[in-house]
Short mmCIF file of all heavy atoms in Angstrom, two decimals:
data_model
loop_
_atom_site.label_atom_id
_atom_site.label_comp_id
_atom_site.label_asym_id
_atom_site.label_seq_id
_atom_site.Cartn_x
_atom_site.Cartn_y
_atom_site.Cartn_z
N GLU Z 22 1.16 -0.37 5.72
CA GLU Z 22 -0.08 -0.66 5.00
C GLU Z 22 -1.28 -0.10 5.75
O GLU Z 22 -1.36 -0.16 6.98
CB GLU Z 22 -0.25 -2.17 4.81
CG GLU Z 22 -1.45 -2.54 3.96
CD GLU Z 22 -1.52 -4.01 3.59
OE1 GLU Z 22 -0.57 -4.74 3.93
OE2 GLU Z 22 -2.52 -4.41 2.96
N LEU Z 23 -2.24 0.43 5.00
CA LEU Z 23 -3.47 0.97 5.56
C LEU Z 23 -4.64 0.03 5.25
O LEU Z 23 -4.77 -0.45 4.13
CB LEU Z 23 -3.76 2.35 4.97
CG LEU Z 23 -2.68 3.42 5.16
CD1 LEU Z 23 -3.11 4.72 4.45
CD2 LEU Z 23 -2.40 3.68 6.63
N ARG Z 24 -5.46 -0.23 6.25
CA ARG Z 24 -6.68 -1.03 6.09
C ARG Z 24 -6.41 -2.38 5.42
O ARG Z 24 -7.05 -2.72 4.41
CB ARG Z 24 -7.73 -0.26 5.28
CG ARG Z 24 -8.11 1.09 5.86
CD ARG Z 24 -9.18 1.76 5.02
NE ARG Z 24 -9.56 3.05 5.55
CZ ARG Z 24 -10.52 3.82 5.04
NH1 ARG Z 24 -11.17 3.43 3.96
NH2 ARG Z 24 -10.82 4.98 5.57
N PRO Z 25 -5.50 -3.19 5.90
CA PRO Z 25 -5.16 -4.44 5.20
C PRO Z 25 -6.31 -5.44 5.11
O PRO Z 25 -6.37 -6.22 4.15
CB PRO Z 25 -3.99 -5.00 6.02
CG PRO Z 25 -4.09 -4.34 7.35
CD PRO Z 25 -4.66 -2.99 7.10
N ARG Z 26 -7.23 -5.44 6.10
CA ARG Z 26 -8.33 -6.41 6.07
C ARG Z 26 -9.53 -5.90 5.29
O ARG Z 26 -10.43 -6.68 4.95
CB ARG Z 26 -8.76 -6.77 7.49
CG ARG Z 26 -7.74 -7.60 8.27
CD ARG Z 26 -8.36 -8.16 9.54
NE ARG Z 26 -9.52 -8.98 9.23
CZ ARG Z 26 -10.58 -9.13 10.04
NH1 ARG Z 26 -10.62 -8.47 11.20
NH2 ARG Z 26 -11.60 -9.89 9.70
N PHE Z 27 -9.57 -4.63 5.00
CA PHE Z 27 -10.67 -4.04 4.23
C PHE Z 27 -10.28 -4.02 2.75
O PHE Z 27 -9.16 -3.64 2.40
CB PHE Z 27 -10.95 -2.63 4.73
CG PHE Z 27 -11.93 -1.85 3.88
CD1 PHE Z 27 -13.26 -2.21 3.83
CD2 PHE Z 27 -11.50 -0.76 3.14
CE1 PHE Z 27 -14.16 -1.50 3.06
CE2 PHE Z 27 -12.39 -0.04 2.37
CZ PHE Z 27 -13.72 -0.41 2.32
N ALA Z 28 -11.19 -4.43 1.87
CA ALA Z 28 -10.93 -4.42 0.43
C ALA Z 28 -9.58 -5.05 0.11
O ALA Z 28 -8.68 -4.39 -0.41
CB ALA Z 28 -11.01 -2.99 -0.11
N PRO Z 29 -9.41 -6.34 0.41
CA PRO Z 29 -8.08 -6.96 0.28
C PRO Z 29 -7.55 -7.03 -1.14
O PRO Z 29 -6.35 -7.27 -1.33
CB PRO Z 29 -8.29 -8.37 0.86
CG PRO Z 29 -9.76 -8.62 0.74
CD PRO Z 29 -10.42 -7.29 0.93
N GLY Z 30 -8.37 -6.81 -2.16
CA GLY Z 30 -7.89 -6.84 -3.53
C GLY Z 30 -7.06 -5.63 -3.93
O GLY Z 30 -6.36 -5.66 -4.94
N VAL Z 31 -7.14 -4.55 -3.13
CA VAL Z 31 -6.35 -3.35 -3.37
C VAL Z 31 -5.53 -3.07 -2.13
O VAL Z 31 -6.07 -2.97 -1.03
CB VAL Z 31 -7.25 -2.14 -3.71
CG1 VAL Z 31 -6.42 -0.86 -3.81
CG2 VAL Z 31 -7.99 -2.38 -5.02
N ILE Z 32 -4.23 -2.95 -2.30
CA ILE Z 32 -3.31 -2.66 -1.20
C ILE Z 32 -2.92 -1.19 -1.28
O ILE Z 32 -2.55 -0.70 -2.34
CB ILE Z 32 -2.06 -3.55 -1.29
CG1 ILE Z 32 -2.45 -5.03 -1.13
CG2 ILE Z 32 -1.02 -3.15 -0.25
CD1 ILE Z 32 -1.31 -5.98 -1.39
N THR Z 33 -3.02 -0.50 -0.15
CA THR Z 33 -2.62 0.92 -0.10
C THR Z 33 -1.76 1.15 1.13
O THR Z 33 -1.83 0.40 2.11
CB THR Z 33 -3.84 1.86 -0.04
OG1 THR Z 33 -4.58 1.62 1.17
CG2 THR Z 33 -4.75 1.68 -1.24
N GLY Z 34 -0.96 2.20 1.07
CA GLY Z 34 -0.14 2.55 2.22
C GLY Z 34 0.92 3.57 1.86
O GLY Z 34 0.86 4.21 0.80
N PHE Z 35 1.87 3.71 2.75
CA PHE Z 35 3.00 4.63 2.55
C PHE Z 35 4.30 3.83 2.55
O PHE Z 35 4.41 2.80 3.21
CB PHE Z 35 3.05 5.67 3.67
CG PHE Z 35 1.80 6.48 3.83
CD1 PHE Z 35 1.05 6.39 5.00
CD2 PHE Z 35 1.37 7.32 2.83
CE1 PHE Z 35 -0.11 7.13 5.16
CE2 PHE Z 35 0.21 8.07 2.98
CZ PHE Z 35 -0.53 7.98 4.14
N MET Z 36 5.29 4.33 1.82
CA MET Z 36 6.60 3.70 1.82
C MET Z 36 7.64 4.78 1.50
O MET Z 36 7.30 5.93 1.23
CB MET Z 36 6.66 2.59 0.77
CG MET Z 36 6.57 3.05 -0.66
SD MET Z 36 6.81 1.68 -1.81
CE MET Z 36 6.84 2.54 -3.39
N ARG Z 37 8.89 4.38 1.52
CA ARG Z 37 9.98 5.26 1.12
C ARG Z 37 10.84 4.57 0.05
O ARG Z 37 10.99 3.35 0.08
CB ARG Z 37 10.86 5.64 2.31
CG ARG Z 37 10.16 6.50 3.35
CD ARG Z 37 11.11 6.88 4.47
NE ARG Z 37 10.43 7.63 5.51
CZ ARG Z 37 10.29 8.96 5.50
NH1 ARG Z 37 10.81 9.66 4.49
NH2 ARG Z 37 9.66 9.58 6.47
N ILE Z 38 11.37 5.37 -0.85
CA ILE Z 38 12.38 4.90 -1.80
C ILE Z 38 13.53 5.89 -1.74
O ILE Z 38 13.34 7.09 -1.98
CB ILE Z 38 11.80 4.78 -3.21
CG1 ILE Z 38 10.77 3.64 -3.25
CG2 ILE Z 38 12.91 4.53 -4.23
CD1 ILE Z 38 10.22 3.33 -4.62
N GLU Z 39 14.70 5.37 -1.35
CA GLU Z 39 15.88 6.21 -1.09
C GLU Z 39 15.53 7.35 -0.13
O GLU Z 39 15.94 8.49 -0.30
CB GLU Z 39 16.50 6.73 -2.38
CG GLU Z 39 17.13 5.64 -3.22
CD GLU Z 39 18.04 6.16 -4.32
OE1 GLU Z 39 18.23 7.39 -4.41
OE2 GLU Z 39 18.57 5.34 -5.08
N GLY Z 40 14.75 6.99 0.89
CA GLY Z 40 14.40 7.95 1.94
C GLY Z 40 13.25 8.87 1.61
O GLY Z 40 12.77 9.61 2.49
N ARG Z 41 12.76 8.86 0.38
CA ARG Z 41 11.68 9.76 -0.03
C ARG Z 41 10.33 9.13 0.26
O ARG Z 41 10.05 8.02 -0.18
CB ARG Z 41 11.79 10.08 -1.52
CG ARG Z 41 13.05 10.85 -1.92
CD ARG Z 41 13.17 10.89 -3.43
NE ARG Z 41 14.22 11.77 -3.90
CZ ARG Z 41 15.49 11.42 -4.03
NH1 ARG Z 41 15.88 10.20 -3.68
NH2 ARG Z 41 16.38 12.28 -4.48
N PRO Z 42 9.44 9.84 0.98
CA PRO Z 42 8.11 9.27 1.27
C PRO Z 42 7.21 9.27 0.05
O PRO Z 42 7.22 10.22 -0.75
CB PRO Z 42 7.57 10.21 2.36
CG PRO Z 42 8.25 11.52 2.09
CD PRO Z 42 9.62 11.19 1.56
N MET Z 43 6.43 8.21 -0.10
CA MET Z 43 5.55 8.06 -1.25
C MET Z 43 4.29 7.32 -0.83
O MET Z 43 4.28 6.56 0.14
CB MET Z 43 6.25 7.28 -2.37
CG MET Z 43 7.61 7.82 -2.78
SD MET Z 43 8.26 7.01 -4.24
CE MET Z 43 7.21 7.73 -5.50
N GLY Z 44 3.21 7.52 -1.59
CA GLY Z 44 2.03 6.69 -1.45
C GLY Z 44 2.16 5.47 -2.34
O GLY Z 44 2.87 5.49 -3.36
N LEU Z 45 1.48 4.40 -1.96
CA LEU Z 45 1.56 3.14 -2.71
C LEU Z 45 0.16 2.58 -2.90
O LEU Z 45 -0.63 2.51 -1.96
CB LEU Z 45 2.45 2.15 -1.97
CG LEU Z 45 2.75 0.75 -2.51
CD1 LEU Z 45 1.59 -0.25 -2.33
CD2 LEU Z 45 3.15 0.79 -3.99
N ILE Z 46 -0.15 2.17 -4.13
CA ILE Z 46 -1.37 1.43 -4.41
C ILE Z 46 -1.00 0.25 -5.29
O ILE Z 46 -0.15 0.37 -6.19
CB ILE Z 46 -2.44 2.32 -5.08
CG1 ILE Z 46 -3.74 1.52 -5.29
CG2 ILE Z 46 -1.95 2.91 -6.40
CD1 ILE Z 46 -4.93 2.37 -5.72
N ALA Z 47 -1.57 -0.91 -4.99
CA ALA Z 47 -1.24 -2.12 -5.75
C ALA Z 47 -2.44 -3.05 -5.77
O ALA Z 47 -3.27 -3.04 -4.85
CB ALA Z 47 -0.03 -2.83 -5.13
N ASN Z 48 -2.53 -3.85 -6.80
CA ASN Z 48 -3.54 -4.91 -6.87
C ASN Z 48 -2.97 -6.18 -6.25
O ASN Z 48 -1.79 -6.47 -6.39
CB ASN Z 48 -3.93 -5.20 -8.31
CG ASN Z 48 -4.40 -3.97 -9.06
OD1 ASN Z 48 -3.71 -3.50 -9.96
ND2 ASN Z 48 -5.56 -3.45 -8.69
N ASP Z 49 -3.83 -6.92 -5.56
CA ASP Z 49 -3.42 -8.20 -4.98
C ASP Z 49 -4.11 -9.33 -5.73
O ASP Z 49 -5.33 -9.52 -5.59
CB ASP Z 49 -3.78 -8.26 -3.50
CG ASP Z 49 -3.20 -9.48 -2.81
OD1 ASP Z 49 -2.67 -10.37 -3.52
OD2 ASP Z 49 -3.25 -9.55 -1.57
N PRO Z 50 -3.37 -10.11 -6.53
CA PRO Z 50 -4.00 -11.18 -7.32
C PRO Z 50 -4.56 -12.32 -6.48
O PRO Z 50 -5.28 -13.17 -7.01
CB PRO Z 50 -2.85 -11.67 -8.22
CG PRO Z 50 -1.60 -11.28 -7.51
CD PRO Z 50 -1.93 -10.01 -6.78
N HIS Z 51 -4.29 -12.33 -5.17
CA HIS Z 51 -4.86 -13.36 -4.31
C HIS Z 51 -6.37 -13.17 -4.13
O HIS Z 51 -7.07 -14.13 -3.78
CB HIS Z 51 -4.20 -13.35 -2.93
CG HIS Z 51 -2.89 -14.06 -2.88
ND1 HIS Z 51 -1.68 -13.42 -3.01
CD2 HIS Z 51 -2.59 -15.38 -2.74
CE1 HIS Z 51 -0.70 -14.29 -2.93
NE2 HIS Z 51 -1.22 -15.49 -2.78
#
């Protein structure tokens, strides 16, 4: 995860699915 304490309503970062690197963006309902 990138910048978890900044703008906590939007989560961003990098992940892998079946070994493939990808970017991730998600909304946090909290």
Side-chain angles (χ1 to χ4, degrees):
E22 185 171 356
L23 303 177
R24 303 182 180 183
R26 290 192 58 210
F27 172 68
V31 174
I32 296 172
T33 63
F35 303 116
M36 67 175 186
R37 293 182 184 272
I38 292 185
E39 292 194 3
R41 295 170 171 86
M43 308 188 73
L45 181 283
I46 183 170
N48 305 111
D49 188 350
H51 279 96

